[in-house]
Amino acid sequence: MSNYDPNQPGQPYDPTSGSDASNPNPYGQNPYGQNQPGQAPYGQNPYGQPQSPAPSFDPYGQPQGGYAPVQPPAQRPKTLQWAFLLILLSGIANAIATWFMFNSNMFANMITSQWSLLQEQMQSDLQANPQLAEDPFVEQMLSSPEAFMAEFNSVMSGFMITSAVISIALYFLVGFFVGRGVSAMRIIATVLAVLSLLGLSMSIATVSMFGDAQAGMLNAMIVLATGLGVAGVVFAWLRPSSEYILARRMARRAGYR
């Protein structure tokens, strides 16, 4: 067999001539290789804008991409500070009103007006328990309303001081936690304010009936104590206070303490 190309006499035969060895595709490009100029590679945005991942949210309170992290409120509003101060002043005014009431003639007048009924009740108790009749303390108390009040005051004076201190401490705790933005304590303070308003008319009527000349001052102290407490609760429910309490609750859910 001849090694010469029959189409080109005198030239050795080359079977690869007439074709481009570096480009086996007859159409001039590799359909699986390089991209044509101007075409976007597979998987990229043809419009040239970078793709951003969709924001996600962690149900356990941890912020993910696209969401601002939950931050605790920076500063308590003035309304909560006023709520604490007013509730504390209400407790102090209530303790002072109780002390003046105890040292007034109101309890003596109440006992005197009901002395006959009280004496009958005590006599029936003595008949049920004869040993009480031998007690000189009981005998002295039954002698007259004045003697009964003297013994009552000597027993109750220490109790009144203790109850006044406890009352101020309780008002301080309620006001303190309300001022700190504790939602549960705000509800408790609201319930106590409603109860004090419901009992205000009865307290005024009782003091007016048995308070004599001191009734006006005692009623003024009672109204002042109740009004200060109610005003403190109102300040605790104003919009800045409610927004702070809500932000504090959300921050605690996010893990802040």
PDB file of all heavy atoms in Angstrom, residues 20 27 42 62 75 89 130 141 151 157 164 167 177 183-184 205 213 216 234 237 250:
ATOM      1  N   ASP A  20      -9.138  19.675  12.360  1.00  0.00           N
ATOM      2  CA  ASP A  20      -8.478  20.369  13.478  1.00  0.00           C
ATOM      3  C   ASP A  20      -8.367  19.405  14.632  1.00  0.00           C
ATOM      4  O   ASP A  20      -9.364  19.038  15.271  1.00  0.00           O
ATOM      5  CB  ASP A  20      -9.284  21.609  13.876  1.00  0.00           C
ATOM      6  CG  ASP A  20      -8.524  22.449  14.885  1.00  0.00           C
ATOM      7  OD1 ASP A  20      -7.379  22.095  15.207  1.00  0.00           O
ATOM      8  OD2 ASP A  20      -9.122  23.462  15.328  1.00  0.00           O
ATOM      9  N   TYR A  27     -18.357  21.814  14.984  1.00  0.00           N
ATOM     10  CA  TYR A  27     -19.007  23.122  15.061  1.00  0.00           C
ATOM     11  C   TYR A  27     -18.139  24.155  15.767  1.00  0.00           C
ATOM     12  O   TYR A  27     -18.566  25.267  16.021  1.00  0.00           O
ATOM     13  CB  TYR A  27     -20.357  23.010  15.777  1.00  0.00           C
ATOM     14  CG  TYR A  27     -21.334  22.121  15.048  1.00  0.00           C
ATOM     15  CD1 TYR A  27     -21.498  20.811  15.443  1.00  0.00           C
ATOM     16  CD2 TYR A  27     -22.042  22.608  13.936  1.00  0.00           C
ATOM     17  CE1 TYR A  27     -22.368  19.977  14.769  1.00  0.00           C
ATOM     18  CE2 TYR A  27     -22.920  21.772  13.262  1.00  0.00           C
ATOM     19  CZ  TYR A  27     -23.086  20.462  13.668  1.00  0.00           C
ATOM     20  OH  TYR A  27     -23.942  19.656  13.009  1.00  0.00           O
ATOM     21  N   TYR A  42     -22.917  27.923  35.137  1.00  0.00           N
ATOM     22  CA  TYR A  42     -24.070  27.237  35.723  1.00  0.00           C
ATOM     23  C   TYR A  42     -24.137  27.505  37.224  1.00  0.00           C
ATOM     24  O   TYR A  42     -23.135  27.418  37.922  1.00  0.00           O
ATOM     25  CB  TYR A  42     -23.938  25.735  35.469  1.00  0.00           C
ATOM     26  CG  TYR A  42     -25.070  24.935  36.078  1.00  0.00           C
ATOM     27  CD1 TYR A  42     -26.330  24.936  35.495  1.00  0.00           C
ATOM     28  CD2 TYR A  42     -24.855  24.220  37.235  1.00  0.00           C
ATOM     29  CE1 TYR A  42     -27.354  24.208  36.048  1.00  0.00           C
ATOM     30  CE2 TYR A  42     -25.884  23.481  37.804  1.00  0.00           C
ATOM     31  CZ  TYR A  42     -27.134  23.474  37.198  1.00  0.00           C
ATOM     32  OH  TYR A  42     -28.149  22.752  37.761  1.00  0.00           O
ATOM     33  N   GLN A  62     -32.765  32.927  69.814  1.00  0.00           N
ATOM     34  CA  GLN A  62     -31.466  33.359  69.316  1.00  0.00           C
ATOM     35  C   GLN A  62     -31.631  33.981  67.948  1.00  0.00           C
ATOM     36  O   GLN A  62     -32.178  33.360  67.036  1.00  0.00           O
ATOM     37  CB  GLN A  62     -30.499  32.170  69.231  1.00  0.00           C
ATOM     38  CG  GLN A  62     -30.243  31.537  70.596  1.00  0.00           C
ATOM     39  CD  GLN A  62     -29.605  32.508  71.564  1.00  0.00           C
ATOM     40  OE1 GLN A  62     -28.863  33.386  71.143  1.00  0.00           O
ATOM     41  NE2 GLN A  62     -29.889  32.365  72.845  1.00  0.00           N
ATOM     42  N   GLN A  75     -33.025  51.664  80.060  1.00  0.00           N
ATOM     43  CA  GLN A  75     -33.285  52.435  81.269  1.00  0.00           C
ATOM     44  C   GLN A  75     -34.770  52.396  81.591  1.00  0.00           C
ATOM     45  O   GLN A  75     -35.614  52.423  80.691  1.00  0.00           O
ATOM     46  CB  GLN A  75     -32.825  53.887  81.080  1.00  0.00           C
ATOM     47  CG  GLN A  75     -32.914  54.741  82.341  1.00  0.00           C
ATOM     48  CD  GLN A  75     -32.397  56.143  82.096  1.00  0.00           C
ATOM     49  OE1 GLN A  75     -32.051  56.493  80.973  1.00  0.00           O
ATOM     50  NE2 GLN A  75     -32.355  56.945  83.147  1.00  0.00           N
ATOM     51  N   LEU A  89     -44.865  55.856  99.532  1.00  0.00           N
ATOM     52  CA  LEU A  89     -45.493  56.919 100.312  1.00  0.00           C
ATOM     53  C   LEU A  89     -46.882  56.515 100.789  1.00  0.00           C
ATOM     54  O   LEU A  89     -47.308  56.904 101.885  1.00  0.00           O
ATOM     55  CB  LEU A  89     -45.569  58.201  99.479  1.00  0.00           C
ATOM     56  CG  LEU A  89     -44.233  58.887  99.171  1.00  0.00           C
ATOM     57  CD1 LEU A  89     -44.457  60.098  98.267  1.00  0.00           C
ATOM     58  CD2 LEU A  89     -43.528  59.309 100.457  1.00  0.00           C
ATOM     59  N   PRO A 130     -65.987  28.704 134.027  1.00  0.00           N
ATOM     60  CA  PRO A 130     -65.941  29.420 135.317  1.00  0.00           C
ATOM     61  C   PRO A 130     -64.533  29.754 135.778  1.00  0.00           C
ATOM     62  O   PRO A 130     -64.361  30.667 136.602  1.00  0.00           O
ATOM     63  CB  PRO A 130     -66.620  28.433 136.290  1.00  0.00           C
ATOM     64  CG  PRO A 130     -67.431  27.531 135.422  1.00  0.00           C
ATOM     65  CD  PRO A 130     -66.671  27.412 134.136  1.00  0.00           C
ATOM     66  N   MET A 141     -61.146  43.876 133.519  1.00  0.00           N
ATOM     67  CA  MET A 141     -61.653  44.287 132.204  1.00  0.00           C
ATOM     68  C   MET A 141     -63.165  44.416 132.209  1.00  0.00           C
ATOM     69  O   MET A 141     -63.720  45.275 131.517  1.00  0.00           O
ATOM     70  CB  MET A 141     -61.219  43.273 131.138  1.00  0.00           C
ATOM     71  CG  MET A 141     -59.734  43.303 130.809  1.00  0.00           C
ATOM     72  SD  MET A 141     -59.293  42.050 129.590  1.00  0.00           S
ATOM     73  CE  MET A 141     -60.257  42.558 128.200  1.00  0.00           C
ATOM     74  N   GLU A 151     -56.570  48.216 129.391  1.00  0.00           N
ATOM     75  CA  GLU A 151     -55.894  46.928 129.196  1.00  0.00           C
ATOM     76  C   GLU A 151     -55.708  46.625 127.707  1.00  0.00           C
ATOM     77  O   GLU A 151     -54.684  46.084 127.292  1.00  0.00           O
ATOM     78  CB  GLU A 151     -56.717  45.815 129.864  1.00  0.00           C
ATOM     79  CG  GLU A 151     -56.807  45.918 131.373  1.00  0.00           C
ATOM     80  CD  GLU A 151     -55.458  45.762 132.032  1.00  0.00           C
ATOM     81  OE1 GLU A 151     -54.562  45.116 131.435  1.00  0.00           O
ATOM     82  OE2 GLU A 151     -55.282  46.302 133.140  1.00  0.00           O
ATOM     83  N   SER A 157     -50.497  48.056 121.960  1.00  0.00           N
ATOM     84  CA  SER A 157     -49.509  49.062 121.551  1.00  0.00           C
ATOM     85  C   SER A 157     -48.328  48.421 120.817  1.00  0.00           C
ATOM     86  O   SER A 157     -47.906  48.888 119.750  1.00  0.00           O
ATOM     87  CB  SER A 157     -49.027  49.840 122.774  1.00  0.00           C
ATOM     88  OG  SER A 157     -48.451  48.951 123.724  1.00  0.00           O
ATOM     89  N   ALA A 164     -47.327  48.238 111.907  1.00  0.00           N
ATOM     90  CA  ALA A 164     -46.952  49.395 111.085  1.00  0.00           C
ATOM     91  C   ALA A 164     -45.654  49.126 110.335  1.00  0.00           C
ATOM     92  O   ALA A 164     -45.527  49.457 109.142  1.00  0.00           O
ATOM     93  CB  ALA A 164     -46.821  50.635 111.968  1.00  0.00           C
ATOM     94  N   SER A 167     -46.389  46.666 107.597  1.00  0.00           N
ATOM     95  CA  SER A 167     -47.143  47.307 106.516  1.00  0.00           C
ATOM     96  C   SER A 167     -46.218  48.107 105.604  1.00  0.00           C
ATOM     97  O   SER A 167     -46.313  48.021 104.366  1.00  0.00           O
ATOM     98  CB  SER A 167     -48.223  48.211 107.112  1.00  0.00           C
ATOM     99  OG  SER A 167     -48.892  48.936 106.097  1.00  0.00           O
ATOM    100  N   PHE A 177     -40.842  46.037  93.333  1.00  0.00           N
ATOM    101  CA  PHE A 177     -40.959  45.136  92.189  1.00  0.00           C
ATOM    102  C   PHE A 177     -41.807  45.753  91.077  1.00  0.00           C
ATOM    103  O   PHE A 177     -41.583  45.472  89.894  1.00  0.00           O
ATOM    104  CB  PHE A 177     -41.528  43.793  92.628  1.00  0.00           C
ATOM    105  CG  PHE A 177     -40.541  42.940  93.376  1.00  0.00           C
ATOM    106  CD1 PHE A 177     -40.660  42.741  94.739  1.00  0.00           C
ATOM    107  CD2 PHE A 177     -39.467  42.367  92.724  1.00  0.00           C
ATOM    108  CE1 PHE A 177     -39.741  41.966  95.435  1.00  0.00           C
ATOM    109  CE2 PHE A 177     -38.543  41.593  93.401  1.00  0.00           C
ATOM    110  CZ  PHE A 177     -38.685  41.402  94.769  1.00  0.00           C
ATOM    111  N   SER A 183     -44.226  42.252  85.921  1.00  0.00           N
ATOM    112  CA  SER A 183     -45.624  42.301  85.497  1.00  0.00           C
ATOM    113  C   SER A 183     -46.551  41.687  86.539  1.00  0.00           C
ATOM    114  O   SER A 183     -47.643  42.208  86.791  1.00  0.00           O
ATOM    115  CB  SER A 183     -45.775  41.576  84.154  1.00  0.00           C
ATOM    116  OG  SER A 183     -47.120  41.568  83.736  1.00  0.00           O
ATOM    117  N   ALA A 184     -46.159  40.564  87.147  1.00  0.00           N
ATOM    118  CA  ALA A 184     -47.019  39.902  88.129  1.00  0.00           C
ATOM    119  C   ALA A 184     -47.265  40.802  89.336  1.00  0.00           C
ATOM    120  O   ALA A 184     -48.394  40.882  89.851  1.00  0.00           O
ATOM    121  CB  ALA A 184     -46.391  38.582  88.564  1.00  0.00           C
ATOM    122  N   ALA A 205     -66.943  56.054 106.658  1.00  0.00           N
ATOM    123  CA  ALA A 205     -68.180  56.052 107.436  1.00  0.00           C
ATOM    124  C   ALA A 205     -67.924  55.665 108.893  1.00  0.00           C
ATOM    125  O   ALA A 205     -68.488  56.281 109.819  1.00  0.00           O
ATOM    126  CB  ALA A 205     -69.178  55.088 106.796  1.00  0.00           C
ATOM    127  N   ALA A 213     -63.884  64.594 117.201  1.00  0.00           N
ATOM    128  CA  ALA A 213     -63.219  65.758 116.612  1.00  0.00           C
ATOM    129  C   ALA A 213     -62.052  65.370 115.723  1.00  0.00           C
ATOM    130  O   ALA A 213     -61.622  66.161 114.869  1.00  0.00           O
ATOM    131  CB  ALA A 213     -62.741  66.695 117.728  1.00  0.00           C
ATOM    132  N   GLY A 216     -62.031  64.224 111.032  1.00  0.00           N
ATOM    133  CA  GLY A 216     -61.593  64.887 109.804  1.00  0.00           C
ATOM    134  C   GLY A 216     -60.150  64.564 109.459  1.00  0.00           C
ATOM    135  O   GLY A 216     -59.827  64.238 108.303  1.00  0.00           O
ATOM    136  N   VAL A 234     -51.640  53.606  88.768  1.00  0.00           N
ATOM    137  CA  VAL A 234     -51.924  54.250  87.479  1.00  0.00           C
ATOM    138  C   VAL A 234     -50.622  54.531  86.729  1.00  0.00           C
ATOM    139  O   VAL A 234     -50.524  54.282  85.516  1.00  0.00           O
ATOM    140  CB  VAL A 234     -52.725  55.545  87.696  1.00  0.00           C
ATOM    141  CG1 VAL A 234     -52.816  56.351  86.396  1.00  0.00           C
ATOM    142  CG2 VAL A 234     -54.125  55.219  88.202  1.00  0.00           C
ATOM    143  N   TRP A 237     -49.290  51.571  84.927  1.00  0.00           N
ATOM    144  CA  TRP A 237     -49.997  51.124  83.728  1.00  0.00           C
ATOM    145  C   TRP A 237     -49.908  52.128  82.579  1.00  0.00           C
ATOM    146  O   TRP A 237     -50.521  51.893  81.526  1.00  0.00           O
ATOM    147  CB  TRP A 237     -51.469  50.844  84.057  1.00  0.00           C
ATOM    148  CG  TRP A 237     -51.671  49.555  84.768  1.00  0.00           C
ATOM    149  CD1 TRP A 237     -51.831  49.376  86.110  1.00  0.00           C
ATOM    150  CD2 TRP A 237     -51.731  48.258  84.184  1.00  0.00           C
ATOM    151  NE1 TRP A 237     -51.988  48.045  86.404  1.00  0.00           N
ATOM    152  CE2 TRP A 237     -51.930  47.329  85.244  1.00  0.00           C
ATOM    153  CE3 TRP A 237     -51.626  47.763  82.890  1.00  0.00           C
ATOM    154  CZ2 TRP A 237     -52.026  45.956  85.033  1.00  0.00           C
ATOM    155  CZ3 TRP A 237     -51.728  46.395  82.673  1.00  0.00           C
ATOM    156  CH2 TRP A 237     -51.930  45.524  83.732  1.00  0.00           C
ATOM    157  N   MET A 250     -39.669  40.260  76.798  1.00  0.00           N
ATOM    158  CA  MET A 250     -39.092  39.688  75.589  1.00  0.00           C
ATOM    159  C   MET A 250     -37.592  39.428  75.760  1.00  0.00           C
ATOM    160  O   MET A 250     -37.058  38.435  75.261  1.00  0.00           O
ATOM    161  CB  MET A 250     -39.335  40.631  74.414  1.00  0.00           C
ATOM    162  CG  MET A 250     -40.819  40.848  74.096  1.00  0.00           C
ATOM    163  SD  MET A 250     -41.692  39.306  73.707  1.00  0.00           S
ATOM    164  CE  MET A 250     -40.843  38.832  72.196  1.00  0.00           C
TER     165      MET A 250
END
